[in-house]
Amino acid sequence: MITLTINGKSQEFDVDPATPILWVLREQAGLTGTKYGCGIAMCGACTVHLNGMPIRSCVTPVQAAAGQEITTIEGIGNAATGLHPVQQAWIAEQVPQCGYCQSGQIMAAVALLHTNPAPTDADIDTAMSGNICRCGTYPRIRKGIKVAAAAMAAQRGGANNG
Amino acid sequence: MGKWTRRAFITTGVLAGGVLVIGVAIRPGNRSSRVAGLVAGENETLINIWLKLGADNRVTAIIPHAEMGQGVHTTLAMMLADELDADWSQVSMLEAPAHPEYANYAMARAYTLGDRQFPAWLLPTVDGFFLQATKMMSLQITGGSTSTWTTGQHAMRIAGAAAKAVLLQAAADSWGVAADELRAKDSHIHHDASGRRAPFAEFASHAAELKAPVTPRLKNPDQFTIMGTDVRKFDIPAKVDGSAVFGMDAKVRGMKYASVRAAPVFGTRVDSVDSESIQGMPGIRKVVNLGDAVAVIADSYWQASRALQQLPVQFTRSADDNRDQADIFRQFASDLDAATANGKEQTDLRKGDARAVLANAGRIVDAEYRVPYLAHATMEPMNCTAWVHDGLCELWLGTQNPLGFAAEVAKAIDFDSDKVLVHNQYLGGGFGRRAFSDYAIQAARLALESPYPVKLIWSREEDMRHDHYRQASISRFRAALDAEGKPTAWENQFTEKHDPVEAPYIPYGIDNQYIHFTESNTHVPWGFWRSVDHSLHAFFTESFIDELAVAAGKDPYLYRRDLLAEAGRFRDVLDLAAAKSDWERPLPENWGRGIAIHKSFGTIVAQVVEVEVLDGKAQARRVICAVDAGFAVHPDGIRAQMESGIAYGLTAALYGDISIRQGAVVQGNFNDYQMLRMNEAPAIQTYIINSGESLGGAGEPGTPAIAPALANAIFDATGYRIRELPVKLHDLRSKSNLETKDVA
């Protein structure tokens, strides 16, 4: 048995410890927002956060996450619990097309803005170039990150003032 | 099929611009009852099979089309809702079930299978389906290619307009007034004389019983309230929180997981498989020999794929085992040579007498270009969940052709096609790949042998090595130039023609043209790839016209412009792209600028690329795109599709290369089939012209022009002419490879 904390909830899984986190999330935990794209950490569709850091869940064995915090796209926000500013920006800028890569793109963008609240274009290139989008939504992703960064800065400003 | 067609199509009235449109929306008799149980819930009334009204006055457009990112669910709903005068904030959509009453799919399918002459690209454009439908109809009645786009784009509108007409009539009956005293606005019927106003829903049940007009009056563009605006796409909220369900995400109780490996050389088969060797591995349910592939079914995908990797499989040998990519190109070249030597060229287009002019020309320019095979590499690898139970085969997957898949799967497993139920999900990319049912047939065959549902997932490697590939091709050109450098003859010979037929045709005013081709078959399976033949011919023709401009000592933009004197619509698009790019503005050192223009699927696109070449590597920094699709129904959707088409075409131009070694595809994943990434993505500015001409598509036309525009920009920057794609094959540090010969 391996214990994982997924989106704040502790769960036990009876799996081969070498199984990549991706398949445990999708098949055992029923969280299908995290996608399989390449299986070799080349496309980023499987990006989740491990203790807040973006990782490629398709190549990270589940044993490496035992007892630690995994966050998936389902834990970032939704219409019921409230959308994250990155998700709001993705809607405002109409970023997704086919949408298959976008969970991974959003996870990478959220992680970027967590460590770097005001990323430059070069910062965005560095943080986001591991995530492939075959629909070519890159210009809108770039814009979305900037829109989200501004919204988050405004929130912080509001919080400081309030 | 003929029977279907007569039932399905009726002519409708005259549109703005005097174009006769023929609709597929409204059929004689009220057919709604046949599908009501499938699409309408409690408190919902089907007005016609494309539209239902809820008791809460919500309008639902029923869209016979798969969503794969092109925004079609939204765009088609806009067209219906505008003609209906619906309140857009109260409009939803539902994807039509795979049912014969929504047989757009079946109609397209019949022609895909029945006649290869018929353009068979499937649905990647905004209006792909209706294009198919009307093309088919044009075989039955009459009609040129111009009316098809108009016809297609207005089919959904007819459903909306016809629904409005019956709602108005129902309200008139109810209120005892004449229908022409009423108007519809914001999903309400208004009687201005009395100030009376009521929601559509109030009249739904009566309206549904009225005979809908088959020639409803459609709006003029100046009456549009939804079309031409930037509404938000329906599918986006679910795609930002992980809740959108793709084929990959289908959950069926009790399902097991399968991994598959097909014989690596196309056309070979499984010779032997040592199933016993993996029986001890955890979670393994069974090994299935599918004849041309082997699958392992297990409790989890990881278990299945691990076991498959270790499974010893022998495949049969074939004459193609020794074929390499170089052999294939050698075959193309020798087949082209032989066709010319033997006079066995297949004529594609002949105008004037190009050969005679070339024979007497003072100056001839020639060039040969090559492009490789390309894979689709959709982000979501092929997958399908199948469950055979109670005499049914249920499939959960993403497909561009649900009813066609049902028919093909049924044939493969010997079921009646109405016993195969397709549950179409969001497509994680299509680009033409999901028009081929191989993955669905595999899943169905696995399920047929299993007492549980089976989710078959192709690995990325399987997806890349068992695609249906954009053809590799060689294209050769000769042109005669007069004393001013203007072309007087154009001859083009190439290998392997698919469709659309006009892909190699040029818009330029050249009096003598001879375009011909030679089939040169290989064992590599072919498939529709975003923009199909346009994807290669735009590179060929727009590179060669650029070479002619250089040979003539003219500016490439102005040279094209002069040759478009009789093609005003092209000229307008070209001018806009050049103007917005600030064509004359000097660029920094190591930068270059290239232009290209191409019409596909009814839409004209011109692109200017600004490239920077550093250390021999080309990077597109900025793309200016001008597009004339007739009228932009959803402008932001067009912009998104231009951005997408550019990225897709740029990826192929820079990196795309599927090559054959010992009969099999070499590339297997994104490490060796490289993709454009964020750090290489250019800034893109799109400018839209609403010319009012027949409507065109959006999903594909962004792709063709980008490769030649890039290659022309690289020439501008370096003097190095790219005659073979992808660009990565070339060392751009070698100053010039100019082979352009002045023969005479």
Side-chain angles (χ1 to χ4, degrees), chain B residues 698-712:
Chain B
E700 297 178 270
T703 298
I706 194 67
L710 173 75
N712 296 339

Side-chain angles (χ1 to χ4, degrees), chain A residues 58-137:
Chain A
C58 74
V59 293
T60 310
V62 69
Q63 65 192 0
Q68 301 177 66
E69 299 266 351
I70 295 172
T71 308
T72 71
I73 184 71
E74 290 88 351
I76 293 297
N78 58 55
T81 62
L83 292 172
H84 189 280
V86 168
Q87 294 171 310
Q88 292 172 10
W90 252 233
I91 293 172
E93 296 305 319
Q94 295 281 287
V95 173
Q97 290 191 27
C98 93
Y100 192 80
C101 74
Q102 296 295 342
S103 294
Q105 303 280 2
I106 290 169
M107 296 308 288
V110 169
L112 165 66
L113 292 174
H114 184 67
T115 55
N116 180 353
T120 62
D121 280 334
D123 295 336
I124 292 172
D125 283 348
T126 303
M128 302 301 295
S129 290
N131 290 69
I132 294 170
C133 173
R134 280 296 269 155
C135 301
T137 63

Side-chain angles (χ1 to χ4, degrees), chain B residues 530-554:
Chain B
R530 197 172 194 170
S531 82
V532 202
D533 276 5
H534 288 289
S535 72
L536 51 157
H537 285 294
F539 170 68
F540 298 149
T541 58
E542 282 296 288
S543 292
F544 190 59
I545 201 78
D546 218 70
E547 296 211 41
L548 296 186
V550 171
K554 302 278 174 61

Side-chain angles (χ1 to χ4, degrees), chain A residues 30 35 42 97 138 140, chain B residues 239 249 251 643 676-677:
Chain A
K35 305 302 188 198
M42 287 293 293
Q97 290 191 27
Y138 301 121
R140 290 177 188 238
Chain B
K239 290 176 176 177
D249 306 327
K251 290 174 185 160
E643 293 159 13
L676 191 79
R677 292 171 182 272

